[in-house]
Each structure stands twice: as C-alpha cells, then as structure tokens.
Amino acid sequence: MRARVSWMNEADDAILEYLQELETSTGHRISLPPTAVWYNLVEELAVLDRSQNTISRRMNVLAKAGLLEKTDAKRGYYRVTDLGIAYLEGELNVSELEN
C-alpha cells in the first residue's frame, strides 16, 4: 500500500494508474489530453465521478508536482513520469511531494 500525499485525492491516483497502464510492452509511455483521460475514467470505465474540468485541473497539479509531464503544451497532452511511477509503486518518500 502506498502513502498518499496530503494534497492528493482518489482522482489523482486514478489518473496516474490509468496513464501507467497505457505503457506499451516496449516501455513507451502514452500521452493523452485531459479530455481523453476523463472520458475513459468516467464514461468508459466508471472508476470516477468527476467533471472534465476537475480532471484537467488535477492533471495540471500532478504535472507541477512532477508526477506527470506535459508532452505537448499547445495541445495539453500529458504522460506519467518516472517520479509518478515511483509514487505508484510505493518507492517514493511522499514527504518529498508535500511542498
């Protein structure tokens, strides 16, 4: 079980987990815009009940914390980072993310 940072919520975990699951067998991490992440988590998989704006805001917060990276600033695509994977795998001291 991983510790959650105080400013994070279940939407953050779901976003990170979803993007991690999209990693290809060759290790390529897939980038998606918030709209696609929202659609899949809320409409297709029904793991969250959040607005599209909330998912977009949370992805921006996760990027500022270094857990996601914005791969296309113009279009707003994000993918999970090594730090995000370390968090998901419980290998990160979450006190590093508290600031």
Side-chain angles (χ1 to χ4, degrees), residues 36 56-57 60 78 82 86 90:
S56 182
R57 279 193 312 274
N60 190 43
Y78 296 83
D82 289 341

mmCIF file of all heavy atoms in Angstrom, residues 36 56-57 60 78 82 86 90:
data_model
loop_
_atom_site.group_PDB
_atom_site.id
_atom_site.type_symbol
_atom_site.label_atom_id
_atom_site.label_comp_id
_atom_site.label_asym_id
_atom_site.label_seq_id
_atom_site.Cartn_x
_atom_site.Cartn_y
_atom_site.Cartn_z
ATOM 1 N N ALA A 36 -9.478 13.036 -22.928
ATOM 2 C CA ALA A 36 -9.444 11.592 -23.174
ATOM 3 C C ALA A 36 -9.335 10.821 -21.863
ATOM 4 O O ALA A 36 -9.968 9.772 -21.697
ATOM 5 C CB ALA A 36 -8.289 11.247 -24.097
ATOM 6 N N SER A 56 -8.889 17.865 -15.642
ATOM 7 C CA SER A 56 -7.912 18.756 -16.247
ATOM 8 C C SER A 56 -7.101 19.501 -15.186
ATOM 9 O O SER A 56 -5.867 19.575 -15.266
ATOM 10 C CB SER A 56 -8.618 19.756 -17.171
ATOM 11 O OG SER A 56 -7.679 20.593 -17.788
ATOM 12 N N ARG A 57 -7.783 20.030 -14.178
ATOM 13 C CA ARG A 57 -7.088 20.732 -13.092
ATOM 14 C C ARG A 57 -6.148 19.805 -12.338
ATOM 15 O O ARG A 57 -5.016 20.169 -12.021
ATOM 16 C CB ARG A 57 -8.091 21.338 -12.110
ATOM 17 C CG ARG A 57 -8.685 22.646 -12.551
ATOM 18 C CD ARG A 57 -9.415 23.347 -11.414
ATOM 19 N NE ARG A 57 -10.328 22.499 -10.665
ATOM 20 C CZ ARG A 57 -11.591 22.268 -10.997
ATOM 21 N NH1 ARG A 57 -12.108 22.827 -12.074
ATOM 22 N NH2 ARG A 57 -12.355 21.499 -10.254
ATOM 23 N N ASN A 60 -2.990 19.064 -14.216
ATOM 24 C CA ASN A 60 -2.081 20.207 -14.138
ATOM 25 C C ASN A 60 -1.343 20.218 -12.801
ATOM 26 O O ASN A 60 -0.128 20.453 -12.750
ATOM 27 C CB ASN A 60 -2.843 21.509 -14.353
ATOM 28 C CG ASN A 60 -1.921 22.690 -14.511
ATOM 29 O OD1 ASN A 60 -0.920 22.617 -15.202
ATOM 30 N ND2 ASN A 60 -2.269 23.783 -13.856
ATOM 31 N N TYR A 78 -0.414 14.894 -21.681
ATOM 32 C CA TYR A 78 0.371 14.532 -20.506
ATOM 33 C C TYR A 78 0.696 13.040 -20.540
ATOM 34 O O TYR A 78 -0.065 12.242 -21.081
ATOM 35 C CB TYR A 78 -0.431 14.770 -19.221
ATOM 36 C CG TYR A 78 -0.798 16.192 -18.924
ATOM 37 C CD1 TYR A 78 -1.910 16.780 -19.502
ATOM 38 C CD2 TYR A 78 -0.056 16.935 -18.015
ATOM 39 C CE1 TYR A 78 -2.269 18.088 -19.203
ATOM 40 C CE2 TYR A 78 -0.411 18.241 -17.699
ATOM 41 C CZ TYR A 78 -1.516 18.807 -18.299
ATOM 42 O OH TYR A 78 -1.871 20.096 -17.991
ATOM 43 N N ASP A 82 8.788 9.194 -14.443
ATOM 44 C CA ASP A 82 9.460 8.218 -13.578
ATOM 45 C C ASP A 82 9.078 8.461 -12.117
ATOM 46 O O ASP A 82 8.878 7.508 -11.358
ATOM 47 C CB ASP A 82 10.980 8.310 -13.727
ATOM 48 C CG ASP A 82 11.473 7.796 -15.075
ATOM 49 O OD1 ASP A 82 10.736 7.051 -15.755
ATOM 50 O OD2 ASP A 82 12.612 8.146 -15.452
ATOM 51 N N ALA A 86 7.318 5.868 -9.590
ATOM 52 C CA ALA A 86 7.879 5.584 -8.262
ATOM 53 C C ALA A 86 6.814 5.779 -7.181
ATOM 54 O O ALA A 86 6.708 4.976 -6.246
ATOM 55 C CB ALA A 86 9.087 6.476 -7.999
ATOM 56 N N GLY A 90 5.076 2.785 -4.680
ATOM 57 C CA GLY A 90 5.388 2.924 -3.266
ATOM 58 C C GLY A 90 6.870 3.089 -2.988
ATOM 59 O O GLY A 90 7.324 2.863 -1.868
#
